[in-house]
Structures are given as structure tokens and as C-alpha cells.
Amino acid sequence: MPPARTRPQPLPRERIRERPTAELRIQRAYQSAEFGAGATRQEEQDLAQHVPRVPDVVPDPAGHHLEFDVEPATFDGVLARLRAAGTPYGNDPSAPDNGRIDHPLCARGLYFTDAAGNLFEVMSPA
């Protein structure tokens, strides 16, 4: 009769050397860049593959629309600051320089733009 087969015993945990995953190598590369330690070549390659390069300056940025629903006193303060600074404002996003504050969705509201092309909308219930 042949001897019974026995299951191989697993290696003790301290003898197993696991190969780091790409995610772990990316994490180590971030940490080494963060703390000034040198990353390994593989970590640098992983990081370069998975992290998009961000340009320092975005050419011709598109503005954003930022809306603020404020109390009447805050609206009065914003309007006073815009007038004092000579910043054009208006009640229509297509004409943010018509000088009107009668907003179609609330009692008072206005739009104005900044140099980066962002459109600000300030609305007040009274």
C-alpha cells in the first residue's frame, strides 16, 4: 500500500518575501518624494505611469460659475464693494455689466466676472 499523501506545510511567515504590488510601489514613491528619500527605479516608473503631469499654467483657462446665496446685509456689502471698486455688474450672465440687480430667480441678485474669467453670482431673498 502506498504511503498516504500529506499536505505540504506552509512556510513560516518570516521566510516569505512578497513582491510589492504596483500600488505599494506607487505609495512608497509618494512617501519617498514627500520625505526626500530616493525612490527606486521601479517606483519612479510606476509613479510616472499612474500620476498625470500637471502643467504649471493652464493656457486659456475656462472660467467657472460660482453662486452665493447671501443675507440681505451681505448682499448690500458686496454691492457697495463692487461699486467702490468700479467693477461692472449686472442681472444677466450674458450681460454682467448692465448695472441692474433685479434677478429673475430672487428679489435681488447680480453677476460679475474676475480677470480669470470666473462668473460670480450673488443672490439675496430681500
Side-chain angles (χ1 to χ4, degrees):
M1 178 164 216
R5 288 191 170 179
T6 59
R7 215 175 191 175
Q9 294 298 314
L11 289 173
R13 191 79 179 137
E14 61 272 358
R15 288 193 54 207
I16 299 174
R17 184 169 179 205
E18 294 179 13
R19 184 177 176 156
T21 63
E23 183 177 309
L24 183 59
R25 289 193 306 263
I26 291 168
Q27 182 181 8
R28 286 181 185 162
Y30 271 123
Q31 290 170 345
S32 64
E34 212 172 306
F35 298 110
T40 67
R41 182 93 172 125
Q42 184 63 47
E43 289 170 343
E44 290 173 357
Q45 289 172 351
D46 289 339
L47 187 63
Q49 284 178 345
H50 297 287
V51 178
R53 303 296 287 165
V54 178
D56 293 335
V57 178
V58 177
D60 301 323
H64 294 280
H65 174 218
L66 303 155
E67 188 268 324
F68 300 92
D69 190 8
V70 299
E71 297 294 322
T74 304
F75 183 87
D76 293 335
V78 169
L79 183 58
R81 288 181 68 186
L82 290 172
R83 286 179 176 160
T87 303
Y89 61 89
N91 69 340
D92 187 345
S94 62
D97 58 353
N98 64 16
R100 296 172 52 186
I101 60 170
D102 54 320
H103 198 280
L105 301 177
C106 61
R108 297 187 305 163
L110 58 84
Y111 294 90
F112 66 96
T113 58
D114 66 3
N118 297 308
L119 178 67
F120 293 88
E121 179 179 11
V122 183
M123 298 173 21
S124 176

